[in-house]
Amino acid sequence: MKYGVKMADIAKEFNVSIVTVSNALSGRGGVSAALTQAITKRAAELGYRPSVPRKPRKRAMQEKNETPRYVVGVLTSEIFGGDKGTFYYELIQRLTRTLKSMPMRVVHETISLHAESEGLIPASVSEKSVDAVIIVGQVRPNYIKMLIRLPIPVVFLDFYDEHCDIDSIVSDSYYGGYLLTDYLIGLGHKEIGFVGTVMATSSIHDRFMGYVKALMSHGLQYEEKWTIPDREGTALLKLQLDLPEELPTAFVCNCDETASRLIATLKAMGKRVPEDISVVGYDNYMVSDMCVPSITTVEVNLELMATAAADIVRKKLETPNYSEGKRMIPAKLIQKNSAAAPRTK
């Protein structure tokens, strides 16, 4: 019999993570039956003996009752990574808390731009250590094609793809874009631009379409010259926006971060917000209050989005072939200080 065998030794033999070995040996789930059997057999052959600390009987019984039935992978493209207080950080925190309360175990993984462009399967999925996956934030079309082939439930959060049958949870971006534009028109604005790389994400595209619908509904002309990209390609936000020489009296921005950068760009040009130009955003997270002036915006109810995602993934895990389609979270206009009636010429 061999002594001193560790889980790391077994993990190395099977080219999997220590977490996967631990799950297999403890029977916690998230590992295929075949791989569990192979790992268990090899551990016995090597004479592996787990080190189990002694626990009070009462606490041990509580932990047994609290053991999660499922492991859910929460995957995010690296372009949506952010610090505390940013939109996606707060959304992921709420999602994690909701999943754990069900209870489910959560595994976080960031999808690198290289992995996304090459369609590489995340380690948590390739090692079969998760029972379902929630993708938070838009990923590229080729990556979506890879995801729909996975043999486990997949849910999209804060985006959708009209070309595949994947359940998704999104803010009502079309109506939100309409709300913002209609609000500016109600203030008296007739020259309104849009800031956002229109085809970067499904959310931005829908907000743009809502903006155009509001213009059309009020008999106003859409001007392509006032549609300003805010990203390098479809990824990182531009630090400074490229604005035309002739400016409208107001801008609808696809998110609060872009609105704050637009306000900074306008200030550098000697323009006052909202006295000279009004600016509105979308999301209603921290930056909208930190900006001077505070940004009139549309609120995305992160708690409802997180709860909806967790609810759908639970149903898909518990009921084979369950499908819901697209669940829409209502949009709400939040009036602050970045929009006002246009100056009379």
Side-chain angles (χ1 to χ4, degrees):
M1 180 180 292
K2 298 179 182 179
Y3 295 94
V5 177
K6 301 178 181 178
M7 281 195 287
D9 301 321
I10 303 171
K12 186 175 181 180
E13 283 201 23
F14 286 90
N15 194 27
V16 297
S17 69
I18 295 175
V19 172
T20 299
V21 174
S22 176
N23 288 342
L25 296 177
S26 63
R28 280 196 294 265
V31 185
S32 69
L35 184 57
T36 296
Q37 183 178 4
I39 289 174
T40 304
K41 179 181 178 182
R42 185 55 178 156
E45 292 172 351
L46 293 172
Y48 170 75
R49 294 291 182 269
S51 175
V52 182
R54 297 176 66 86
K55 299 180 181 179
R57 179 176 176 80
K58 183 178 180 181
R59 179 59 184 163
M61 291 177 66
Q62 289 176 342
E63 289 187 357
K64 183 177 180 180
N65 292 334
E66 294 169 0
T67 299
R69 292 179 57 193
Y70 301 107
V71 181
V72 177
V74 175
L75 311 181
T76 312
S77 172
E78 70 173 280
I79 67 173
F80 296 117
D83 298 327
K84 185 176 181 180
T86 59
F87 177 83
Y88 281 106
Y89 177 93
E90 296 299 331
L91 178 58
I92 291 170
Q93 292 305 303
R94 285 168 172 77
L95 175 61
T96 300
R97 287 197 298 268
T98 304
L99 289 168
K100 287 183 175 179
S101 71
M102 289 188 156
M104 296 185 187
R105 194 163 67 83
V106 181
V107 176
H108 294 96
E109 189 163 354
T110 298
I111 305 168
S112 69
L113 291 177
H114 171 72
E116 191 175 341
S117 63
E118 297 297 324
L120 302 178
I121 299 175
S124 57
V125 177
S126 63
E127 295 174 6
K128 301 180 180 180
S129 58
V130 296
D131 302 298
V133 165
I134 299 176
I135 312 296
V136 184
Q138 189 93 31
V139 290
R140 300 182 187 186
N142 67 303
Y143 208 74
I144 291 175
K145 290 179 182 179
M146 182 275 293
L147 292 171
I148 63 177
R149 295 195 296 267
L150 295 178
I152 58 176
V154 177
V155 174
F156 293 160
L157 180 54
D158 197 47
F159 76 104
Y160 67 93
D161 187 281
E162 60 272 21
H163 301 297
C164 67
D165 186 24
I166 298 288
D167 289 346
S168 56
I169 303 93
V170 292
S171 154
D172 192 348
S173 291
Y174 178 82
Y175 180 60
Y178 181 94
L179 267 181
L180 289 166
T181 312
D182 184 68
Y183 171 71
L184 291 172
I185 294 171
L187 291 175
H189 293 279
K190 296 182 179 180
E191 299 175 350
I192 304 172
F194 182 87
V195 185
T197 301
V198 175
M199 300 305 294
T201 70
S202 58
S203 297
I204 297 175
H205 182 263
D206 286 354
R207 290 165 197 175
F208 172 76
M209 296 306 295
Y211 150 80
V212 173
K213 169 66 182 300
L215 293 178
M216 294 175 62
S217 296
H218 290 276
L220 299 179
Q221 182 69 35
Y222 163 68
E223 297 285 353
E224 186 176 356
K225 65 184 177 183
W226 289 333
T227 298
I228 314 299
D230 68 334
R231 298 160 195 249
E232 302 293 349
T234 59
L236 300 177
L237 290 173
K238 293 182 177 181
L239 292 176
Q240 187 164 351
L241 298 165
D242 301 318
L243 301 180
E245 184 174 341
E246 181 186 356
L247 294 172
T249 62
F251 279 106
V252 174
C253 297
N254 79 90
C255 67
D256 293 337
E257 180 63 36
T258 289
S260 71
R261 296 185 185 205
L262 173 61
I263 290 172
T265 301
L266 290 170
K267 286 181 178 179
M269 297 170 60
K271 301 293 184 180
R272 298 171 300 164
V273 176
E275 292 85 355
D276 299 322
I277 297 179
S278 290
V279 175
V280 295
Y282 203 107
D283 290 334
N284 192 33
Y285 74 95
M286 186 181 296
V287 71
S288 67
D289 289 320
M290 293 174 60
C291 187
V292 179
S294 59
I295 301 168
T296 291
T297 185
V298 162
E299 182 175 76
V300 175
N301 192 319
L302 299 182
E303 204 66 47
L304 282 180
M305 292 189 75
T307 300
D311 176 60
I312 291 174
V313 83
R314 176 182 57 80
K315 288 177 179 176
K316 293 178 77 68
L317 285 165
E318 295 178 348
T319 307
N321 301 320
Y322 175 83
S323 179
E324 180 160 330
K326 182 166 64 175
R327 189 184 292 191
M328 199 84 74
I329 306 300
K332 178 182 178 182
L333 181 69
I334 306 295
Q335 297 180 34
K336 297 184 184 178
N337 301 315
S338 63
R343 296 176 63 188
T344 56
K345 297 182 179 180

